[in-house]
Amino acid sequence: MARANSLRKLRAIVTSRKNADNLSARVRRTLVSTLYTNPASLAIGAFNGIASTAIAAWVAELPVLYVGCVILTIIAVARVTAALGLSPDKAHRSTRQLEFIYEIGAFSYALAIGTIAAITIWYEASAAVEVLMVANALCYGVGICARNAGRPNIALGQLTLVCVPIMIVSLMIGSLAFIALFVNMVLLIPAMSSITMNVFKVLRDSIAAAETSAQLADKMQTLARTDVVTGLANRAGLNHAMVETMMEIEKDTRLALIWIDLDKFKEVNDLLGHPVGDRVLSEVARRLRDVCPEGATVARFGGDEFIVFGKISDRMESERIASEIHAEIMRPVRIDGDRLEVRASLGVAVLPEDGRDADTLMQSADLALYHAKVGGRSQTRFFDPSMTRDLIRRREIEGELRAAIANDELSIFFQPIIDLETGKIRCFEALVRWFHPEKGELRPDEFIPVAEETGVILTLGNWITAQAARAAAQWPEDVSLAVNLSPLQIRAPGAALGILNALREARLDPTRLELEVTESLFVDDDPASSAFIEELAGRGVKFALDDFGTGYSSLGYINRYPFSKIKVDRSFVSGENVGKKSDAIIRAVAEMGSQLGMEIVAEGLEEVEQVQKVKEAGCTLGQGYYFSRAVPDYLAMMLLAQEREEGIPIRASA
Ligand code: C2E
Ligand code: CA
Ligand code: CA
């Protein structure tokens, strides 16, 4: 029964050892490292053993014990040195090596201390010396089981090696007391085995549990830093990678940050659905990963924006990577046999010249991207310090513009548009002016684009239309009002209604209003634009195509929308590029106008010769400083009054 029991225990020890060997490498290393923690306890134990042996040798006058003393000292010194030099945190040795080195020291020390105790018994040293050395050996054996429970095979091996010499000698002497000592030790070994194994299991399980939760935490962190759609780093992942890179870079390291924004990606989502949108994003992500250098971070910054961030050797390299990225994205994407064209705008900034830390670098790349988008999209822009100055000025203007409307700093000026045949005023174009208390008069070219980008144009535009309509209501019925409209104003919800309301409030007939739009309105092919034009044209409002010749000059738009006027841009009339070609173009446009029953306005007429030329070319209307600059409403009234009462055309010579 007892044999079966101890067999079972032995089997349990063997299987748990097997399990112990199956432990994950990290758990095992942690356990092995417990062997090396606190080398001081090792030194104290060794000192105790050596001192006791020395005392025993002296008291019992047994020279062999002096030999034992020397052996213990050699082993102790070697072990303490090894423990200090081989701390597992520092040592690059394998776990098995560390364990083996420890085993040699531990086993030889245990055997030595057990043998010394056995010798004192064998040579029948005094009872006190025997007690001292046996107690010393057994205390060591039991204590070591507790200390080394992390590696139970070592602990139990040591206990056994301590006990075996004493047990052999006890048997050899064979007296009742020593037989009893023998039995005690036979019982001690399995008892200590069971205790040690229990401690070991608790230790192992808690380390394994800690290990598992650490792994889980790792996994969660990786998930939290990954974008689900593309598998790239997400915003958090990018931040993390940036912080890490910034910490490890040296002084002369260069980094490039490329900010990529897919052009009009919203349309892909709206027209083809989100699943297709996601596939396009995944494909773009895959291409980015392929084309980016190793070690670079590729992240999806949200929506249709991506960021590539990595070390480069020089600025040229960032240019090369950016152009490769651009080329890769522009390759059509195939989805279920359909070809999709993807376009992207890129903004690039380089550390250290465009920003010394991650935040400034991001701002610079963002600004460069903004310029790429404003500059017509599908292009790459590199950060330039002037972009910051632009931005500061824009921000200033943006803030002040909102206040300007309330503070009455804005006013509407009117520039006449003249019938080239009769010299009479047919229309006034409303042009906004900003009289800034500090900066003086600001041109619309400076603040209208800011108003457009920031959306202030909606408030501003409504105000302009209302003011201009009120002034125009005072003019004779046959003089019309031209108002410039930005695409944003036209696409805003309720835009047409807003204009009709302004007309009603000012009591101006819709047929007297002419809205000037540029071709940029049609580029995006927004259905809201067509709806706006159709609705207002239905109420009698007229439309003029402004700045003709500067954009696409597509005849398609002229055909599609009910324009009553085409305004030929002033660059065809004045400036260095004016010549035979521009004459021919004006002629062709004028010819087309007369065929289609449209009026052709020549803009920017400053000289009498220019007036004569455009008239000969067939333009029906003219506008420019030659006739008049844009003037305040009361002067516009005066011009009209002069013309009507005195019958003097604005420029008789025209
Ligand atoms: P635009 O619609 O082409 O307006 C004509 C511009 O040419 C005006 O500049 C006018 O002052 C200028 N101009 C007229 N005759 C001559 C000339 O003989 N020589 C020269 N060199 N220039 C001449 P302005 O008032 O600075 O307006 C610039 C642009 O700002 C306008 O170009 C228009 O696109 C925009 N803008 C002006 N007022 C408004 C507005 O109320 N709403 C919107 N959305 N845009 C406006
Ligand atoms: Ca205009
Ligand atoms: Ca114009």
Side-chain angles (χ1 to χ4, degrees):
M1 178 72 185
R3 256 188 61 189
N5 240 346
S6 37
L7 255 176
R8 212 177 304 133
K9 270 184 188 157
L10 205 71
R11 212 175 295 136
I13 292 169
V14 172
T15 41
S16 53
R17 261 199 213 163
K18 254 195 208 149
N19 287 343
D21 289 340
N22 284 342
L23 293 177
S24 85
R26 277 169 68 184
V27 176
R28 192 171 156 158
R29 190 157 183 100
T30 312
L31 288 171
V32 168
S33 72
T34 61
L35 299 173
Y36 281 90
T37 48
N38 199 4
S41 76
L42 211 74
I44 293 167
F47 174 77
N48 185 36
I50 294 161
S52 304
T53 311
I55 292 165
W58 184 59
V59 174
E61 292 177 1
L62 268 176
V64 67
L65 289 185
Y66 286 115
V67 178
C69 224
V70 173
I71 292 172
L72 281 183
T73 311
I74 293 169
I75 298 172
V77 170
R79 291 188 72 199
V80 172
T81 319
L84 289 175
L86 290 178
S87 157
D89 319 329
K90 290 184 261 164
H92 299 294
R93 291 181 190 272
S94 72
T95 308
R96 185 61 216 138
Q97 274 175 335
L98 287 170
E99 208 171 16
F100 184 65
I101 293 167
Y102 188 90
E103 271 168 3
I104 297 173
F107 290 157
S108 46
Y109 186 83
L111 187 62
I113 208 99
T115 308
I116 289 166
I119 288 171
T120 58
I121 299 171
W122 184 250
Y123 285 104
E124 293 183 4
S126 68
V129 169
E130 283 175 39
V131 169
L132 172 66
M133 291 323 292
V134 170
N136 187 32
L138 291 186
C139 288
Y140 174 78
V142 172
I144 211 72
C145 280
R147 184 187 190 271
N148 291 352
R151 293 310 288 148
N153 49 347
I154 300 181
L156 296 174
Q158 283 177 280
L159 178 67
T160 313
L161 287 172
V162 164
C163 293
V164 164
I166 303 171
M167 286 160 77
I168 292 171
V169 171
S170 300
L171 271 186
M172 282 164 73
I173 293 171
S175 67
L176 186 63
F178 278 106
I179 293 289
L181 179 63
F182 172 82
V183 173
N184 258 311
M185 290 168 85
V186 168
L187 294 175
L188 177 71
I189 295 176
M192 283 314 294
S193 293
S194 147
I195 295 170
T196 308
M197 285 320 294
N198 283 341
V199 174
F200 165 69
K201 275 180 207 149
V202 171
L203 252 174
R204 181 198 58 192
D205 292 349
S206 61
I207 291 173
E211 191 70 11
T212 314
S213 58
Q215 274 171 1
L216 208 71
D218 260 10
K219 216 175 185 172
M220 299 286 282
Q221 205 163 45
T222 315
L223 271 178
R225 288 181 186 150
T226 309
D227 171 52
V228 218
V229 175
T230 59
L232 296 179
N234 59 13
R235 207 178 265 234
L238 174 76
N239 280 347
H240 177 76
M242 271 192 163
V243 170
E244 290 223 310
T245 314
M246 288 305 204
M247 270 180 353
E248 71 190 23
I249 55 168
E250 276 142 30
K251 228 176 144 198
D252 52 352
T253 312
R254 285 168 157 249
L255 293 170
L257 195 147
I258 306 176
W259 199 318
I260 303 145
D261 188 316
L262 303 187
D263 297 334
K264 299 190 190 161
F265 185 70
K266 195 177 166 294
E267 282 173 18
V268 175
N269 268 338
D270 289 352
L271 295 175
L272 305 173
H274 282 266
V276 173
D278 283 356
R279 283 166 70 184
V280 173
L281 289 174
S282 298
E283 176 59 20
V284 170
R286 193 187 62 73
R287 292 183 186 182
L288 284 178
R289 246 185 321 228
D290 283 355
V291 81
C292 285
E294 212 165 297
T297 303
V298 183
R300 179 174 171 218
F301 200 62
D304 55 355
E305 291 181 30
F306 296 87
I307 283 183
V308 170
F309 174 72
K311 289 183 191 166
I312 46 162
S313 49
D314 52 21
R315 223 183 157 87
M316 290 271 284
E317 195 182 347
S318 67
E319 284 167 27
R320 186 182 55 73
I321 299 171
S323 94
E324 278 177 16
I325 289 177
H326 204 215
E328 266 303 296
I329 294 179
M330 300 282 266
R331 273 197 305 117
V333 176
R334 284 210 172 272
I335 288 190
D336 300 337
D338 285 336
R339 245 173 77 109
L340 272 177
E341 307 261 340
V342 182
R343 299 261 176 279
S345 306
L346 277 73
V348 188
V350 174
L351 178 119
E353 52 263 51
D354 304 337
R356 297 206 155 266
D357 52 60
D359 280 349
T360 355
L361 202 61
M362 291 273 283
Q363 276 168 20
S364 301
D366 188 19
L367 212 52
L369 174 64
Y370 168 81
H371 279 260
K373 286 199 267 187
V374 172
R377 297 207 178 101
S378 296
Q379 49 181 279
T380 302
R381 292 293 290 269
F382 288 78
F383 176 78
D384 179 304
S386 68
M387 293 177 176
T388 314
R389 287 195 295 277
D390 259 24
L391 184 77
I392 293 171
R393 187 159 168 77
R394 271 172 209 277
R395 289 233 174 99
E396 255 177 40
I397 290 180
E398 183 194 349
E400 291 169 353
L401 194 54
R402 290 179 197 273
I405 304 173
N407 295 347
D408 238 7
E409 287 166 24
L410 295 168
S411 48
I412 316 286
F413 275 36
F414 298 92
Q415 187 178 31
I417 296 174
I418 309 297
D419 188 321
L420 291 179
E421 200 55 55
T422 61
K424 285 196 166 168
I425 299 171
R426 289 266 299 275
C427 175
F428 277 104
E429 179 177 359
L431 294 163
V432 64
R433 295 286 176 266
W434 182 1
F435 298 96
H436 191 283
E438 283 142 32
K439 297 189 179 112
E441 185 183 333
L442 291 174
R443 308 287 301 179
D445 288 335
E446 279 180 276
F447 63 87
I448 292 285
V450 181
E452 285 174 344
E453 282 155 25
T454 53
V456 181
I457 192 73
L458 297 180
T459 322
L460 183 61
N462 288 339
W463 181 84
I464 292 169
T465 314
Q467 294 285 314
R470 229 170 277 156
Q474 314 296 317
W475 306 335
E477 299 259 308
D478 56 346
V479 177
S480 56
L481 164 71
V483 173
N484 294 285
L485 284 192
S486 299
L488 199 72
Q489 275 176 276
I490 293 171
R491 292 186 203 133
L497 212 66
I499 304 247
L500 291 172
N501 274 344
L503 292 176
R504 205 183 35 245
E505 272 173 29
R507 293 173 197 281
L508 188 73
D509 195 282
T511 53
R512 288 179 62 198
L513 179 69
E514 210 163 80
L515 296 175
E516 296 194 1
V517 299
T518 57
E519 278 174 308
S520 63
L521 176 65
F522 307 112
V523 173
D524 287 342
D525 205 14
D526 192 321
S529 312
S530 325
F532 175 90
I533 295 178
E534 270 161 33
E535 176 163 6
L536 288 180
R539 300 293 190 98
V541 174
K542 295 191 187 72
F543 283 88
L545 187 58
D546 204 356
D547 300 344
F548 189 76
T550 56
Y552 299 81
S553 306
S554 156
L555 300 181
Y557 305 132
I558 296 176
N559 197 24
R560 222 170 111 192
Y561 296 99
F563 289 113
S564 55
K565 249 184 209 170
I566 291 176
K567 299 186 79 174
V568 180
D569 191 70
R570 68 168 174 270
S571 57
F572 289 89
V573 174
S574 55
E576 32 193 282
N577 298 327
V578 172
K580 273 207 177 111
K581 253 192 187 163
S582 49
D583 283 356
I585 292 171
I586 296 181
R587 234 170 253 286
V589 176
E591 171 63 24
M592 176 185 71
S594 82
Q595 295 290 323
L596 298 175
M598 286 191 267
E599 305 235 48
I600 306 298
V601 190
E603 288 188 310
L605 300 174
E606 295 181 2
E607 318 278 343
V608 66
E609 294 81 18
Q610 293 167 343
V611 180
Q612 268 149 6
K613 208 156 73 183
V614 299
K615 198 172 153 188
E616 272 162 31
C619 293
T620 49
L621 298 172
Q623 177 181 7
Y625 297 164
Y626 174 76
F627 300 110
S628 167
R629 287 180 181 257
V631 294
D633 53 358
Y634 66 93
L635 282 182
M637 285 289 280
M638 250 171 67
L639 287 176
L640 284 169
Q642 263 177 12
E643 187 184 274
R644 305 280 141 148
E645 283 159 26
E646 298 160 29
I648 316 169
I650 201 163
R651 274 276 187 164
S653 55

